[in-house]
Amino acid sequence: MPTSRPTDPLGRIYAEWTTEFEANPQMSLQLMRWVFEDWQRVTTEPEGVTYRSTEIGGVPGISVEPIDSDPREVLVVLHGGGFALGSSASHRKLAGHLAKACGAYAFVADFRRAPEHPYPAQLDDVTAVFESLVDDGISPRDITFVGDSAGASLSVATTLRLLGQQRSHPAQVVTISPWLDMENTGATLVTNDATDFLITREGLQGNIDRYLSGGASPTDPLVNPLYADFAGFPRLYITASDTESLYADAIRLHERAVAAGVDVIFDSVSGEQHVFPLQAGLHEAADESIAAVATWYHAGRGVGATDNATHATA
């Protein structure tokens, strides 16, 4: 467990959570879900952004609508929380900062959570959101998946599934502190244990067991994208901190993308906690990360940059 003291808002919250988890080892999943709603506390309310509770493709969530942004450009934001925790409420303010910086709208999806709904229910929900947006006239080249932690796995895996089925897919994918390894073997789970105030191998295994309770294999490429073929994958952005326990997942994702010839950027930072951009408005590194995502996003909006995302279903 961490031996250093947190110096940032997110680290302090993670340390508080860890104290409660250790004091209550039999904490119910429902109580853990209430705890994780606290994520929103470290994010300031972005100015000039409105929100609507709605649904897209039958999936509930929150529509994030910055003033003067283009409603024809949509970030599909997939929250973290080990496939079992987190919600649109915990991530709506982060989505607001990202959407405002990108000049787009966003939809934070409340995909079905495990263990009540194991894999592949989450991928099915993300696919339903994407296809509904396309049916409503949004071009695939104007849709970007944005996922943090387990949400990053969903953003990558859903794109891989659409590619494998030769269907249209999002033009760009953003992953923040991605969690991909369902075998729970990353080297930094050990080497960074003292600097990560949230992630433990035991906690990850509990979420893996919930997610795969339907019988899926932890080496299925859509469960564990570190086994996937990334040929043809769209533009990919990865950011993570070298002090995170899941840093190895980001490294391996980058390596697989590079090997497949993907247009990929790996923005590696130092000394930050898991999903550090959640601290938007309160922490300089978070604001810098969101600005970097926006710069990358706009670079990908150039003519011809995303033509491969718009092919029609055969």
Side-chain angles (χ1 to χ4, degrees), residues 188-210:
T188 50
L189 289 172
V190 176
T191 59
N192 287 351
D193 185 58
T195 55
D196 191 309
F197 290 94
L198 176 66
I199 301 298
T200 66
R201 176 172 274 151
E202 294 76 17
L204 292 177
Q205 191 60 53
N207 284 325
I208 291 169
D209 293 344
R210 295 183 187 102

Side-chain angles (χ1 to χ4, degrees), residues 104-269:
Y105 275 29
F107 177 70
V108 193
D110 277 315
F111 52 80
R112 287 171 291 173
R113 296 181 296 189
E116 298 93 332
H117 304 282
Y119 169 90
Q122 297 74 20
L123 271 65
D124 292 342
D125 286 353
V126 179
T127 301
V129 170
F130 174 78
E131 293 186 335
S132 180
L133 288 170
V134 173
D135 288 345
D136 286 343
I138 305 296
S139 170
R141 75 174 303 276
D142 294 326
I143 299 173
T144 299
F145 284 171
V146 180
D148 68 278
S149 195
S153 178
L154 298 179
S155 68
V156 171
T158 304
T159 303
L160 287 167
R161 186 164 73 166
L162 291 169
L163 277 167
Q165 295 171 347
Q166 297 186 324
R167 295 154 72 184
S168 58
H169 56 80
Q172 307 188 112
V173 176
V174 176
T175 63
I176 301 169
S177 299
W179 178 38
L180 306 170
D181 179 10
M182 297 299 112
E183 293 181 290
N184 214 8
T185 59
T188 50
L189 289 172
V190 176
T191 59
N192 287 351
D193 185 58
T195 55
D196 191 309
F197 290 94
L198 176 66
I199 301 298
T200 66
R201 176 172 274 151
E202 294 76 17
L204 292 177
Q205 191 60 53
N207 284 325
I208 291 169
D209 293 344
R210 295 183 187 102
Y211 186 46
L212 304 186
S213 59
S217 167
T219 61
D220 183 322
L222 296 183
V223 166
N224 184 343
L226 297 177
Y227 283 92
D229 178 1
F230 278 80
F233 201 84
R235 294 183 79 239
L236 174 63
Y237 189 93
I238 308 165
T239 187
S241 172
D242 62 6
T243 48
E244 292 187 60
S245 288
L246 293 175
Y247 187 61
D249 287 32
I251 292 173
R252 288 184 286 173
L253 174 61
H254 181 240
E255 290 173 347
R256 292 201 65 80
V258 169
V262 176
D263 180 355
V264 58
I265 294 293
F266 183 14
D267 181 17
S268 174
V269 303

Side-chain angles (χ1 to χ4, degrees), residues 30 32-33 160 170 219 228 251 297 303 314:
Q30 184 57 58
M32 289 179 64
R33 284 173 173 166
L160 287 167
T219 61
I251 292 173
Y297 173 86
V303 175

Side-chain angles (χ1 to χ4, degrees), residues 2-24:
T3 56
S4 54
R5 296 177 63 85
T7 59
D8 60 300
L10 192 58
R12 289 192 288 271
I13 280 184
Y14 286 166
E16 292 171 6
W17 292 0
T18 298
T19 298
E20 294 303 315
F21 296 152
E22 291 176 345
N24 300 278

Side-chain angles (χ1 to χ4, degrees), residues 34-64:
W34 292 338
V35 169
F36 272 73
E37 290 301 297
D38 207 30
W39 252 329
Q40 56 80 30
R41 183 155 58 96
V42 297
T43 318
T44 62
E45 193 72 66
E47 296 182 3
V49 179
T50 61
Y51 304 90
R52 290 187 300 113
S53 294
T54 187
E55 66 175 42
I56 297 178
V59 179
I62 295 178
S63 178
V64 180

